Amino acid sequence: EMSQEAENKIVVKNLSKTFDMYNSPMDKLKEALSPRGKIRHTEFHALTDLSFNVKKGEILGIMGRNGAGKSTLLKIITGILEPTSGSVEVSGRISSLLELGTGFNMEYTGIENIYFYGTLMGFTKKQMDKKLDDIIKFAEIGDYIDQVVKTYSSGMFARLAFSCAINVEPEILIVDEILSVGDMRFQAKCFNKFKEFKEQGVTILYVGHDVGMMRTFCDRCMWINNGKLVAEGDPTFITAQFTEFMYLDDTSDFTLYQKFSEEKSAELDEKNNAEVIDDTQKEDGKKEEVICTEEVAVKPVISEKSKFSDCLAHWGTNVGMVTSIRMLGEDGKEKNHFDPYEKIKIQVEFEDNFELDYESFSVAVSIKNKEGTDLCVKTTYDEDVFLKKQKKHCITFEFKTMLAKGEYYLVVALENRENMNPTYYEYIEGAKFFKVFSDKKIFGIYDVDAKITIQ
């Protein structure tokens, strides 16, 4: 029994949370002063008798439509709200991306806020000195780090807050549909970071509606509706049930609140203001503080030597062999947006300064989505294309991607295929970022060339 408890990072038992809903602030006052104790509120049960555990290193997805109780649950786990009844036991340092930038002071500079956040998380100044470079590098907001935070655009604010939250060595990370911050490259970088966390055994709670994300990322999934646990288990199964429910249940998101009585729409506002800060309000609140709304393109801080400074990751035994990577359209011009049905050319140039073994040498290209899933991979080795020994090489891969509309990135690798598992001379993740547009609606990830006949 003891070891089982020790393995659990979060234990939730019979958790309930009830909010008192008043028609107006005046009603609240009248009730408080009422000599006969006249009740002027209705009770809203945000959570009812919820129990579950999360193990060390587990990634738990939490699904539910708006108003299902997800945010309330997370706020109780992080200690922002007190439960009405039941208990939550958490062991380990929690870092939450739920209320990004909680504890940021708008009048402080980016650097000051990093130290301020560190203090809130229980770190000493000395410990934060060591983390400072990583945080600044990850946030990629350049010289703005020395400016007062209220001059940031919302994207820059989110990036800095995000960077702080994931660089404080959390044992438990709470992520709330936050991966819509920043551009495609930043999002892909965040996914890479999460994968790293997963390997390190960090426990992650991911809350959102993104079915693809739940399936690729989570070990287990939990579906909450009306504050109660509907089902939990395999993400593919639970997300399928949830999608069906959302499709069949066409009632509006906040039906629950309106059930008190139709004329009490003011009550809804009261509730939102009192307890559940709605996302839109959060955004608006942030925008008041924002002066510079232009998204400033800032180059990441990577050594000047790197030819691929915008990439997500760059490593290998012989880094520096690849001299150029280009993506060309059918007209032979370089570009970063394509039609699914046009031939795309990927040109990789590299130099051999190492006396390579060409029998097991391979050049590989892969197209990934922002979650980092390989959508199509082509390698010279597997297509039986063998290179000859020479100093300079230029390899062109030409194909139609057939990919649905969206944002993707390119990985280029020089591999040694001597053994079952390839080893890498050079691996460049995110060598290029590109978009695919199409007039034709493609519903899956990609469009296959199909012949349809009617008998």
Side-chain angles (χ1 to χ4, degrees), residues 174-384:
I174 294 184
V175 187
D176 182 13
E177 199 81 277
I178 195 54
L179 290 165
S180 48
V181 311
D183 54 8
M184 155 74 181
R185 203 177 67 78
F186 189 76
Q187 290 176 27
K189 197 162 86 162
C190 297
F191 278 106
N192 272 7
K193 191 75 181 172
F194 290 152
K195 283 180 187 155
E196 211 176 287
F197 277 152
K198 190 173 183 171
E199 280 155 24
Q200 289 165 3
V202 174
T203 303
I204 302 178
L205 296 190
Y206 172 74
V207 177
H209 306 100
D210 187 337
V211 170
M213 199 29 211
M214 287 283 172
R215 289 178 180 179
T216 51
F217 191 58
C218 300
D219 302 314
R220 188 162 58 100
C221 195
M222 205 167 90
W223 168 20
I224 299 177
N225 195 40
N226 298 356
K228 298 186 183 83
L229 182 63
V230 181
E232 64 168 318
D234 172 63
T236 308
F237 180 63
I238 301 295
T239 48
Q241 282 189 306
F242 175 73
T243 309
E244 185 180 348
F245 162 79
M246 288 299 277
Y247 182 70
L248 295 173
D249 183 88
D250 56 359
T251 49
S252 84
D253 276 342
F254 290 102
T255 37
L256 265 178
Y257 301 154
Q258 274 123 33
K259 278 183 193 157
F260 304 131
S261 70
E262 287 306 322
E263 69 276 5
K264 285 194 183 177
S265 62
E267 194 160 276
L268 224 176
D269 304 333
E270 174 69 10
K271 155 138 184 75
N272 278 345
N273 294 336
E275 290 288 358
V276 182
I277 301 174
D278 194 3
D279 284 349
T280 50
Q281 286 173 312
K282 253 192 316 200
E283 274 301 314
D284 290 348
K286 200 182 290 172
K287 283 194 184 101
E288 282 167 19
E289 302 284 3
V290 171
I291 293 166
C292 156
T293 50
E294 290 302 306
E295 186 61 79
V296 181
V298 184
K299 280 275 179 253
V301 193
I302 296 180
S303 71
E304 283 308 300
K305 289 198 291 282
S306 169
K307 285 186 217 61
F308 306 104
S309 57
D310 269 1
C311 69
L312 298 168
H314 191 176
W315 49 275
T317 54
N318 301 357
V319 169
M321 287 174 67
V322 177
T323 51
S324 114
I325 296 168
R326 298 162 74 213
M327 288 188 89
L328 314 167
E330 287 183 342
D331 55 3
K333 292 199 176 104
E334 256 193 280
K335 56 183 200 170
N336 59 3
H337 51 88
F338 300 91
D339 183 279
Y341 310 104
E342 71 173 295
K343 273 195 177 155
I344 182 171
K345 287 182 185 174
I346 298 165
Q347 236 171 41
V348 181
E349 291 180 16
F350 68 94
E351 290 180 0
D352 171 14
N353 308 324
F354 302 101
E355 296 296 308
L356 295 171
D357 163 19
Y358 282 106
E359 274 180 35
S360 53
F361 180 79
S362 182
V363 182
V365 296
S366 161
I367 292 176
K368 294 190 177 199
N369 58 11
K370 63 175 167 250
E371 289 84 19
T373 309
D374 280 310
L375 302 176
C376 61
V377 180
K378 281 286 165 204
T379 76
T380 54
Y381 188 83
D382 297 300
E383 302 291 329
D384 290 333

Side-chain angles (χ1 to χ4, degrees), residues 360 381 416-423:
S360 53
Y381 188 83
N416 180 350
R417 297 288 294 269
E418 213 170 345
N419 302 315
M420 271 289 284
N421 288 335
T423 53

Side-chain angles (χ1 to χ4, degrees), residues 103-106 108-118 149 160:
F104 269 34
N105 184 326
M106 288 295 172
Y108 287 5
T109 66
I111 298 258
E112 287 167 339
N113 267 307
I114 292 173
Y115 282 102
F116 187 48
Y117 185 83
V149 167
L160 180 61

